[in-house]
Amino acid sequence: MFRNIYGLDLGTYEIKVFDKKRDFIWKEKNIIAKKDKEFLCAVGDDAWVMFEKSPDNIEVLFPMQSGVIARFDDMQCLLEHLLKKERPFSGGAEYLVAVPTDVTEVEKRAFYDLVYHSSARAKSVRIVERGIADAIGFGVNVGRTQGIFIVNMGGGSTEISVLCHGGMVVTRLMKLGGEHLDQAVQNLIRHNMEFLVGRRTAESLRQDFGIFEDADCTEIDVTGRNLQTGIPEHRSVPVSTVRAAIKEPLKECASEIKSMFERIPPVVRSGVEKNGICLTGGLANLKELSTYLQQSTGLAVKTCVRPELCAVEGLRKIIQDKKSYKELTYSLLGEDYKWLR
């Protein structure tokens, strides 16, 4: 009997899943809503609708923080519901999970246990480094290419990975993502205008204005709360305020990329100079981000059509190629990880 295989990319704000049997990729928000801190109200996209709009007795939570699992039980409950919700999964399936490289072995084990010890009744769970999945999803031959520089900018973290001939050279997981840019926008609007906007509003402003491209308008009307009167009202937020807010976190990211580039061996560096930076992750959709990083680092920056799905597309290719599935993935039940059991 054919056994199904699922590929899981568990991002801070979105879960991406590849279903081999259906040859289909779907995604949903990585968020959960609980009533009175106990009863489950909604998960995924349904819970996202309640974010910043729920009453006091309903708590809306993100089980993942900065790329790692922060609330294990909530994350397991969320994953189980999403796999069952209009997407029936078969018992005894295999799972391939993309995990950050620059985390502890215990944190990697949490990704493994999340699936293996759930009601999904997994037959087996295998792990692959997200940097490798990103490179394969980008269309790079990881086994033969010398000097692959992957920058995955997601909702809660940025993962920088340098690969050479299929092996990881250096990697760094930064606590810098879309949420940090949105918080910066919120803080500057609050400081300059004494006006409080929600995170979803800040995200919308960031996405509309971008970094430094010519905008169709110089300001956007948004709804928020006047901090002097405490009354909700409409105000126009100028593009200059939004761009000034997001430049500082992006400057930090560009500085870390340059630092990583300087630390890699000369042979690998020459390959990176030739191949450039592969930009992936949901934040890569930010207008003119690739141009900004290219000007800041001096390296060519390439991105794909749907960068938020790059890692899960890599999982798809690995799962569909038996050789890659065997060589690039591993199980935490192996002898090398005996101490984790």
Side-chain angles (χ1 to χ4, degrees):
M1 182 178 177
F2 174 74
R3 179 180 297 143
N4 200 10
I5 304 178
Y6 295 92
L8 304 180
D9 178 24
L10 306 177
T12 304
Y13 286 95
E14 278 191 333
I15 295 176
K16 280 80 72 176
V17 181
F18 167 63
D19 184 334
K20 181 182 179 182
K21 192 172 184 179
R22 299 167 62 194
D23 193 21
F24 179 70
I25 290 175
W26 56 269
K27 62 179 182 177
E28 194 147 350
K29 292 292 184 181
N30 194 347
I31 187 170
I32 190 170
K34 300 175 76 173
K35 184 177 181 181
D36 299 326
K37 297 184 178 181
E38 183 177 356
F39 304 103
L40 183 67
C41 287
V43 299
D45 293 343
D46 294 335
W48 175 249
V49 175
M50 305 170 69
F51 182 56
E52 296 186 330
K53 301 177 183 177
S54 60
D56 293 339
N57 66 326
I58 295 180
E59 188 178 14
V60 182
L61 305 165
F62 291 91
M64 299 274 291
Q65 296 291 333
S66 301
V68 296
I69 301 171
R71 306 173 69 95
F72 185 89
D73 291 340
D74 289 336
M75 186 67 219
Q76 193 170 62
C77 179
L78 168 62
L79 185 61
E80 290 174 358
H81 276 78
L82 291 185
L83 287 172
K84 292 176 181 178
K85 179 184 173 185
E86 298 179 1
R87 305 176 181 94
F89 62 94
S90 55
E94 298 179 16
Y95 291 81
L96 178 61
V97 185
V99 301
T101 308
D102 188 27
V103 295
T104 66
E105 299 297 341
V106 174
E107 287 171 324
K108 288 184 182 180
R109 178 72 194 207
F111 282 91
Y112 179 92
D113 289 342
L114 177 72
V115 180
Y116 192 77
H117 296 295
S118 71
S119 62
R121 295 172 293 164
K123 177 68 176 179
S124 69
V125 178
R126 297 186 69 82
I127 300 296
V128 65
E129 314 293 352
R130 183 174 285 122
I132 292 177
D134 267 321
I136 293 175
F138 211 92
V140 178
N141 188 328
V142 295
R144 297 183 178 180
T145 306
Q146 177 179 295
I148 308 169
F149 203 116
I150 302 290
V151 179
N152 183 317
M153 302 185 71
S157 63
T158 293
E159 187 173 357
I160 306 172
S161 306
V162 180
L163 298 85
C164 183
H165 295 303
M168 196 69 66
V169 180
V170 288
T171 184
R172 171 79 195 280
L173 184 67
M174 297 178 62
K175 294 181 178 180
L176 191 155
E179 69 167 315
H180 302 90
L181 270 64
D182 299 337
Q183 288 170 0
V185 171
Q186 286 179 287
N187 292 339
L188 196 59
I189 292 175
R190 180 172 185 166
H191 181 267
N192 290 354
M193 304 174 62
E194 294 189 343
F195 188 61
L196 182 65
V197 298
R199 207 165 86 192
R200 295 181 68 169
T201 301
E203 180 183 21
S204 178
L205 288 169
R206 166 174 62 83
Q207 293 172 343
D208 288 340
F209 284 146
I211 302 176
F212 47 55
E213 66 170 31
D214 293 333
D216 295 333
C217 58
T218 58
E219 56 186 29
I220 291 182
D221 290 335
V222 298
T223 303
R225 180 159 54 89
N226 188 319
L227 293 177
Q228 292 182 329
T229 64
I231 299 174
E233 62 181 38
H234 292 279
R235 278 203 195 178
S236 296
V237 177
V239 61
S240 57
T241 300
V242 177
R243 290 178 176 172
I246 66 178
K247 282 280 180 76
E248 196 59 37
L250 291 178
K251 184 178 178 181
E252 180 185 349
C253 183
S255 176
E256 185 61 31
I257 291 173
K258 288 192 289 186
S259 176
M260 287 280 287
F261 177 71
E262 292 169 357
R263 285 161 45 197
I264 59 181
V267 176
V268 181
R269 190 182 308 171
S270 63
V272 172
E273 290 174 342
K274 177 182 177 182
N275 301 320
I277 295 173
C278 299
L279 182 62
T280 73
L283 194 56
N285 289 310
L286 181 64
K287 297 175 182 177
E288 296 299 315
L289 177 59
S290 59
T291 304
Y292 173 81
L293 292 179
Q294 185 165 318
Q295 293 181 357
S296 302
T297 63
L299 297 168
V301 179
K302 301 174 290 184
T303 188
C304 49
V305 178
R306 301 185 70 185
E308 72 278 8
L309 298 180
C310 193
V312 74
E313 284 286 359
L315 295 177
R316 181 212 289 261
K317 293 178 181 179
I318 293 172
I319 290 172
Q320 292 177 340
D321 183 355
K322 291 183 179 180
K323 183 178 179 182
S324 297
Y325 189 73
K326 181 179 180 181
E327 294 179 353
L328 299 178
T329 71
Y330 58 92
S331 171
L332 294 184
L333 295 180
E335 288 298 319
D336 293 340
Y337 295 92
K338 190 175 182 179
W339 62 277
L340 276 173
R341 299 175 199 168

